[in-house]
Amino acid sequence: TVHERVDTFHDNDQKPIGYGRMLRKEDPRFVRGRGRFVDDIQLPGMLHLAILRSPVAHARIVAIDTSAAEASPGVKAVVTGAMLAQQGLAWMPTLSNDVQAVLATDKVRFQGQEVAFVVAEDRYAARDALELIDVEYDVLDPVIDARRALEPDAPVIRDDLEGKANNHCFDWETGDEAATAAVFARADVVVSQDLVYPRVHPAPMETCGAVADFDAVDGRLRLWSTTQAPHAHRTLYALVAGIPEHKIQVISPDIGGGFGNKVPIYPGYVCAIVASIVTGKPVKWMEDRSENLISTGFARDYIMRGEIAATRDGRILAIRTNVLADHGAFNGTAAPVKYPAGFFGVFTGSYDIEAAYCKMTAVYTNKAPGGVAYACSFRITEAVYLVERIVDCLADELGMDPAELRLKNFIRPEQFPYKTKTGWVYDSGNYEPTMRLAMDMAGYAELRREQEEKRARGELMGIGISFFTEAVGAGPRKNMDILGLGMADGCELRVHPTGKAVVRLSVQSQGQGHETTFAQIVAEEIGIPPADIEVLHGDTDNTPFGLGTYGSRSTPVSGAAAALVARKVRDKARIIASGMLEVSVADLEWEKGAFHVKGDPGKSVTIQDIAMRAHGAGDLPEGVEGGLEAQICYNPSNLTYPHGAYICVVDVDPGTAQVKVRRFIAVDDCGTRINPMIIEGQVHGGLTDGVGMALMEMIAFDEDGNCLGASLMDYLIPTALEVPDWETGFTVTPSPHHPIGAKGVGESATVGSPPAIVNAVVDALKPFGVRHADMPLTPSRVWDAMRGQARPP
Ligand code: PCD
């Protein structure tokens, strides 16, 4: 299963065409500083918007005085929640069936919540005027700790919801409780562990922003915005603002990283639209870093208990888990299944077990809303962390090697498609070779010997393993939607007379390199070189409807659409070729880029010849329309299930408790690989994310609800200095239902790496009797763990 396509090439103008390493088509503009991001948009007469945010976590708004701000130089308008309420615009629906305040009317519910906005001639005038708005708050007790949110005397945060008398958000369960309890009752060994996956933030390099331009004469709204889902956002604006959908154009230009942070609709976007309608001018709103960190979609914040039951000789029988999910003040994420926890259903990991059960309770707290899928395909990161940590706890309890325990319990290749105990169907997998390759690359046995020697000398070296299966590519429209919108993706391919092509996608790249990989998919199918294929995306006026890029869904869903639309074009080209060569279609043979007459390879026409004929003078075969183009809407029949084996080697300084990731081996299996160079980049980025979450990142709050991670001085994210040279490998297990066998990969490394790192640190601390320590494993946390004083964050 280990092979690399031999047709790799580095020169974009060279054959062969199709899959393989290829420099990114988008990079010339990025490396020359010629990208066009939202903040680069300048329109004549454009005004600037700044948002006043709540300084406190929970308070009643008594009064707002905007008069001084209105009189400030350059100010064109000051808008409060009360003014929006008059238009019915103070609240908006979220993408997971809750509502969120655009501007607070009654109360503020988290520090950083939007309270009012100023529109002025420039950004400075707008920001200066914010300081002149006088808000009188009646401060209320906040709920900060999710564990206390359901206490009977806890202040009620969401009293805007009718009849709401507590902070309960939702309950969700999956699996079979009774069957699981029965297996646990007869198991030789049961291990349980409490785990916290702390609140982290996607922190994309570009913060969120928008430019709204409403034309009152023809009623058209153009909105440039930092969105990962332009079509879904457009539909929602149409529903909320009452502007007809065909009069709204959402443009997501170059985007400086999304990572799930740019999936939700933020109040700022709506404010920019309102501001443009009110002033009759284009209006720009651009967050600063602190605004992004304190008010936009965070991720994780799960308090989990994992329990695992096994036989004495290491056969895993059942897994049970209980989760308390902190969703902040509004359930403001996007969720393709009814409960924004649904993808947590893969918490049984890569193991063939008898029973499983999960119970989850979600609560509201006075923290920023979200729970976004920060490189986690909707809660898979938490699930993988849970299962890979408790499997390690079990190995420890059994005195078994963690690699051996995993190998013993893997779902076997002949069991695929494999239906899990919570009802998911893993499409394909071949886990053992992936694990073995990672162990070979690491020199696993040798590492264990080295560790033994070091332990004898009092040195702290740890080896951590994680093995993950993800569910990505949401999703089949029969069981997945966002706010009632099905998750199919459109794709259009048009071949011009000279044989150059344009492919229009409904997904939207934020740095993943779609302009390259989607050109490669089309190239592989119709043999036009990638350099001759323009990929258009991110503009609702110029691309077909679809739900956007997140949850590693672009390749599984839109990638399939691109391959199929190209095959449709090829089918038509075959008919035209049969006319050109005066043979029947059955007598034609396709070889990348041309049709040959069977047995007479000298008689052939290229796809470029066919394109000219399709548009040219002269007859086409009976019943064939002119032109060479097609369109499709692809509804996936299942998700794709990539997997991977990760091994991390750490050294812990016994004097400072500092963790150094010395080596990291990542073997990924994402099925057919379109562009190995891009995949490696995706994996490197995700592994770096993992180091951040495992060792550094946490959005913490003090007891009053002040966000303690409001700048990149306080919220540490990793740089090249904190990460090792990644060692990557791969296996290829194609997806059986995807037309080219590809699975998603964009989030794999973020999902798989944190448990490998934590497992490695815990392994290093074994001499201290440590069985678990919660992320982020900062020196002080590791120090506490070494001294038996670990406490939950
Ligand atoms: N690929 C290949 N092959 C295969 C797969 C894949 O080649 N097999 C490639 C593609 O095509 C692209 C990439 O790779 O290009 C990726 O892919 P995917 O997996 O499909 O994914 P997408 O959809 O595209 O994307 C998304 C992701 C996500 S989800 C995230 S987080 C992140 C990632 O992506 N983000 C980002 N990565 C990245 N990168 C960058 N640069 N930036 C960003 O932002 Mo979420 O849900 O949103 O949380």
Side-chain angles (χ1 to χ4, degrees):
T1 53
V2 184
H3 72 277
E4 172 130 29
R5 297 275 302 227
V6 282
D7 55 348
T8 57
F9 58 101
H10 296 269
D11 181 343
N12 289 1
D13 298 326
Q14 253 174 35
K15 292 207 163 188
I17 23 193
Y19 309 151
R21 285 175 195 277
M22 181 182 134
L23 296 178
R24 302 199 323 166
K25 292 174 58 149
E26 41 274 87
D27 282 345
R29 78 171 181 275
F30 290 139
V31 299
R32 289 171 204 182
R34 299 297 291 272
R36 193 166 154 82
F37 298 86
V38 170
D39 204 19
D40 293 319
I41 308 292
Q42 300 289 352
L43 300 178
M46 187 173 77
L47 301 174
H48 295 260
L49 183 149
I51 293 177
L52 181 72
R53 296 177 181 278
S54 171
V56 292
H58 199 191
R60 203 159 288 290
I61 296 176
V62 181
I64 305 184
D65 181 357
T66 58
S67 51
E70 276 157 37
S72 183
V75 169
K76 299 290 176 193
V78 182
V79 173
T80 63
M83 293 160 73
L84 288 187
Q86 285 166 12
Q87 312 298 320
L89 288 173
W91 293 84
M92 62 178 186
T94 70
L95 296 174
S96 42
N97 298 294
D98 195 356
V99 289
Q100 175 173 356
V102 177
L103 293 178
T105 47
D106 51 341
K107 288 204 306 190
V108 288
R109 294 175 168 85
F110 65 94
Q111 185 186 53
Q113 187 179 337
E114 299 77 4
V115 175
F117 67 78
V118 172
V119 189
E121 277 162 4
D122 63 51
R123 187 172 163 89
Y124 304 97
R127 295 221 145 198
D128 286 347
L130 289 185
E131 292 176 19
L132 302 174
I133 301 177
D134 191 16
V135 186
E136 191 186 328
Y137 293 106
D138 177 10
V139 175
L140 303 167
D141 282 340
V143 180
I144 303 305
D145 185 348
R147 281 165 281 223
R148 309 198 53 185
L150 295 180
E151 286 178 358
D153 58 345
V156 177
I157 300 166
R158 294 301 303 279
D159 46 358
D160 58 292
L161 299 173
E162 200 164 317
K164 191 91 190 132
N166 58 32
N167 296 315
H168 182 258
C169 182
F170 65 85
D171 282 320
W172 173 73
E173 61 175 349
T174 183
D176 186 331
E177 185 172 20
T180 307
V183 177
F184 267 84
R186 66 171 159 81
D188 303 338
V189 184
V190 170
V191 176
S192 75
Q193 181 61 53
D194 287 327
L195 311 154
V196 176
Y197 209 132
R199 171 177 284 235
V200 295
H201 197 283
M205 200 175 333
E206 176 201 34
T207 58
C208 296
V211 175
D213 185 14
F214 183 74
D215 182 330
V217 175
D218 63 7
R220 260 185 79 82
L221 170 69
R222 281 191 304 169
L223 182 75
W224 288 261
S225 75
T226 49
T227 169
Q228 296 179 228
H231 290 277
H233 281 200
R234 181 189 57 180
T235 305
L236 214 81
Y237 295 132
L239 293 172
V240 175
I243 304 170
E245 195 166 3
H246 65 295
K247 297 273 188 188
I248 304 176
Q249 179 183 15
V250 176
I251 305 163
S252 184
D254 286 329
I255 298 294
F259 304 101
N261 187 240
K262 291 166 180 167
V263 178
I265 292 185
Y266 291 119
Y269 303 150
V270 179
C271 292
I273 296 171
V274 171
S276 181
I277 294 173
V278 168
T279 61
K281 294 272 168 56
V283 174
K284 179 185 282 183
W285 163 69
M286 212 59 221
E287 279 173 351
D288 66 21
R289 177 62 55 191
S290 289
E291 292 183 286
N292 182 255
L293 283 169
I294 65 173
S295 72
T296 64
F298 70 90
R300 328 289 186 239
D301 224 344
Y302 268 24
I303 298 171
M304 310 184 270
R305 155 152 299 190
E307 293 176 283
I308 188 164
T311 61
R312 200 21 71 213
D313 64 350
R315 179 96 203 109
I316 303 173
L317 301 174
I319 300 177
R320 185 161 58 193
T321 171
N322 201 300
V323 180
L324 179 63
D326 184 338
H327 276 251
F330 306 100
N331 198 0
T333 177
V337 281
K338 183 162 179 230
Y339 288 101
F343 281 45
F344 194 86
V346 300
F347 70 95
T348 52
S350 315
Y351 311 108
D352 181 26
I353 62 173
E354 290 175 20
Y357 178 67
C358 167
K359 166 128 185 39
M360 178 168 310
T361 300
V363 295
Y364 291 115
T365 59
N366 288 111
K367 299 180 194 166
V372 297
Y374 163 25
C376 87
S377 200
F378 316 104
R379 304 302 190 174
I380 280 176
T381 312
E382 292 89 329
V384 166
Y385 180 68
L386 174 101
V387 60
E388 289 307 287
R389 232 9 314 276
I390 56 170
V391 165
D392 253 43
C393 294
L394 177 66
D396 183 47
E397 178 76 20
L398 296 170
M400 222 171 139
D401 182 274
E404 194 192 321
L405 177 62
R406 286 177 171 85
L407 283 163
K408 188 175 175 131
N409 287 283
F410 280 151
I411 299 164
R412 296 180 310 280
E414 69 276 12
Q415 288 177 287
F416 291 93
Y418 177 84
K419 184 156 190 188
T420 71
K421 290 293 172 287
T422 58
W424 298 72
V425 180
Y426 291 4
D427 60 344
S428 65
N430 190 4
Y431 297 161
E432 185 172 339
T434 311
M435 186 72 183
R436 297 264 180 223
L437 177 58
M439 292 169 75
D440 285 352
M441 286 171 62
Y444 188 68
E446 180 49 41
L447 284 173
R448 286 287 175 205
R449 267 194 298 281
E450 180 191 345
Q451 182 184 38
E452 217 169 288
E453 282 168 31
K454 290 201 160 150
R455 270 194 187 151
R457 297 200 296 266
E459 289 172 41
L460 305 177
M461 165 183 170
I463 306 158
I465 296 176
S466 90
F467 194 97
F468 63 89
T469 301
E470 282 182 281
V472 302
R477 51 196 307 167
K478 64 176 183 298
N479 37 32
M480 281 170 204
D481 65 88
I482 289 188
L483 271 197
L485 299 172
M487 302 195 78
D489 273 330
C491 189
E492 280 173 30
L493 175 63
R494 206 176 280 177
V495 184
H496 302 313
T498 55
K500 316 286 180 194
V502 54
V503 57
R504 295 179 153 84
L505 311 178
S506 59
V507 290
Q508 207 292 329
S509 169
Q510 305 100 40
Q512 295 87 344
H514 292 174
E515 288 164 41
T516 308
T517 48
F518 280 78
Q520 289 183 273
I521 295 173
V522 172
E524 177 81 14
E525 298 294 337
I526 56 168
I528 294 175
D532 289 349
I533 301 169
E534 187 77 4
V535 176
L536 294 185
H537 58 105
D539 178 345
T540 55
D541 269 11
N542 290 308
T543 57
F545 185 86
L547 281 209
T549 292
Y550 42 83
S552 303
R553 65 184 299 278
S554 302
T555 306
V557 188
S558 265
L564 292 178
V565 83
R567 286 178 197 173
K568 252 180 147 174
V569 166
R570 194 174 71 200
D571 288 345
K572 180 171 180 185
R574 178 188 292 272
I575 301 172
I576 298 172
S578 79
M580 292 168 78
L581 294 167
E582 295 176 326
V583 293
S584 83
V585 285
D587 289 331
L588 287 176
E589 220 159 32
W590 170 254
E591 194 194 318
K592 251 184 221 176
F595 284 103
H596 308 280
V597 176
K598 275 184 191 159
D600 190 358
K603 272 188 87 181
S604 72
V605 283
T606 65
I607 188 79
Q608 289 81 3
D609 300 333
I610 300 168
M612 187 54 90
R613 172 60 74 96
H615 294 89
D619 271 347
L620 291 172
E622 185 77 26
V624 174
E625 284 176 19
L628 194 55
E629 54 192 69
Q631 71 177 64
I632 193 180
C633 183
Y634 176 77
N635 175 30
S637 57
N638 190 5
L639 304 168
T640 66
Y641 294 77
H643 68 268
Y646 290 0
I647 300 179
C648 174
V649 183
V650 300
D651 297 305
V652 178
D653 185 323
T656 63
Q658 181 102 36
V659 176
K660 183 173 165 50
V661 178
R662 190 209 310 167
R663 286 183 65 196
F664 200 106
I665 295 88
V667 178
D668 277 278
D669 190 323
C670 56
T672 304
R673 296 158 67 83
I674 300 156
N675 186 327
M677 182 199 74
I678 286 186
I679 294 173
E680 281 162 18
Q682 292 287 301
V683 171
H684 290 183
L687 295 174
T688 306
D689 273 346
V691 168
M693 291 182 292
L695 303 180
M696 307 156 76
E697 297 180 27
M698 174 159 85
I699 297 282
F701 295 84
D702 70 10
E703 57 195 22
D704 295 325
N706 293 307
C707 179
L708 303 179
S711 81
L712 292 182
M713 295 299 286
D714 305 302
Y715 185 69
L716 288 185
I717 56 174
T719 68
L721 292 179
E722 287 84 15
V723 301
D725 281 336
W726 308 111
E727 301 168 54
T728 57
F730 64 95
T731 53
V732 176
T733 311
S735 166
H737 63 85
H738 189 283
I740 63 169
K743 301 179 179 186
V745 77
E747 300 165 299
S748 297
T750 316
V751 170
S753 55
I757 299 167
V758 175
N759 286 345
V761 174
V762 171
D763 185 50
L765 302 183
K766 236 182 187 166
F768 297 88
V770 173
R771 198 176 79 176
H772 175 70
D774 281 313
M775 298 185 284
L777 292 170
T778 57
S780 75
R781 288 259 174 100
V782 174
W783 187 262
D784 286 348
M786 281 159 67
R787 268 144 200 79
Q789 291 162 351
R791 48 197 144 79

